[in-house]
Amino acid sequence: MSFAKFKSDQMMKKSDGVKTSRISGIVKLEDANNAGSRKGKDCTLILTEGDSAKALAVSGLSVVGRDNYGVFPLRGKLLNVREAATDQILKNVELSHIKQIMGLKHKQEYTSVDGLRYGSLMIMTDQDHDGSHIKGLIINFLDHFYPSLLKIPNFLVEFITPIVKVWKGKNTHTFYTMPEYEEWKEANNNGKGWDSKYYKVSTTSGCQSTHSADSRSTITLYRVWVLPLRKMP
């Protein structure tokens, strides 16, 4: 290892997190009650696309509880660490906060989540171009510095909101992607005889076409998908 590389790694370790039950100095963090404890492996940190999405996620905590769920809002797009200099990474507050909140250590090889404050990381962004870019940058950060974490089942997951809901009497189906909905329609006479509701859902504004109560209920309806590894070009 070159001296420059050694020095760079030593500098990167300065922002390492530790497994502790309480952390301070991260103002917008809504920390899970069990984060950093012996139950930390059961906790999920929700990374949201800004403060508005954080508000939606926090409202959902009243449903699922605060013991095993924490929320932290990202400010804009994350730094592309593959193209950034060490100095840029060290000065990036968002990355430092994620390391501290999760309890991540530089150059650490992880075979389990036992040493982390949270056992799972959930991405909650809009299903548009910007949201996809943010997801890619988060995956890029993990793949570059902590590829071993991506090999742990269900460590990285995604919050998916409903797009369409159909019902006939008491029989109800909720769809999270349009292909999934179109496939159902094809197998069910193009949906004839079924009532439907399209949700204009975003993580920043909730369900815009439904009652306000529906916005909060999307937290209880969410589907967690394991994200495939997608490297940044």
Side-chain angles (χ1 to χ4, degrees), residues 214-226:
D214 285 338
S215 174
R216 199 176 69 156
S217 71
T218 59
I219 301 295
T220 63
L221 289 172
Y222 79 81
R223 172 184 298 178
V224 174
W225 283 359
V226 178

Side-chain angles (χ1 to χ4, degrees), residues 46 57 59-69 219-220 222:
I46 306 173
S59 72
L61 297 185
S62 63
V63 178
V64 299
R66 290 176 173 265
D67 285 347
N68 293 332
Y69 288 90
I219 301 295
T220 63
Y222 79 81

Side-chain angles (χ1 to χ4, degrees), residues 48-193:
T48 68
E49 186 178 347
D51 292 335
S52 297
K54 175 193 172 184
L56 177 63
V58 169
S59 72
L61 297 185
S62 63
V63 178
V64 299
R66 290 176 173 265
D67 285 347
N68 293 332
Y69 288 90
V71 183
F72 181 65
L74 296 173
R75 296 183 303 171
K77 296 175 182 177
L78 212 62
L79 180 69
N80 185 346
V81 294
R82 291 186 192 274
E83 299 178 356
T86 299
D87 186 56
Q88 288 179 290
I89 297 172
L90 289 171
K91 291 180 179 178
N92 189 275
V93 177
E94 301 293 287
L95 293 179
S96 294
H97 282 171
I98 291 173
K99 287 180 67 177
Q100 292 163 28
I101 296 168
M102 292 295 297
L104 294 169
K105 296 184 181 298
H106 185 64
K107 302 287 285 187
Q108 180 77 35
E109 285 287 328
Y110 292 96
T111 57
S112 75
V113 295
D114 292 343
L116 299 176
R117 296 189 72 248
Y118 285 84
S120 178
L121 188 64
M122 180 185 291
I123 302 174
M124 183 177 177
T125 62
D126 289 343
Q127 296 184 54
D128 57 14
H129 178 74
D130 285 342
S132 295
H133 193 189
I134 292 170
K135 280 183 273 187
L137 290 170
I138 294 171
I139 295 170
N140 182 56
F141 164 66
L142 293 171
D143 182 48
H144 187 62
F145 288 119
Y146 311 101
S148 57
L149 285 175
L150 296 176
K151 298 177 183 178
I152 299 175
N154 297 330
F155 170 76
L156 184 62
V157 294
E158 180 181 7
F159 181 99
I160 300 291
T161 48
I163 294 177
V164 184
K165 177 181 177 181
V166 300
W167 67 93
K168 181 193 290 186
K170 294 184 179 180
N171 196 358
T172 302
H173 297 286
T174 303
F175 302 95
Y176 295 79
T177 68
M178 288 308 295
E180 184 181 39
Y181 174 52
E182 294 297 336
E183 182 179 348
W184 176 88
K185 283 205 307 181
E186 186 175 340
N188 289 272
N189 195 26
N190 203 37
K192 289 182 179 178

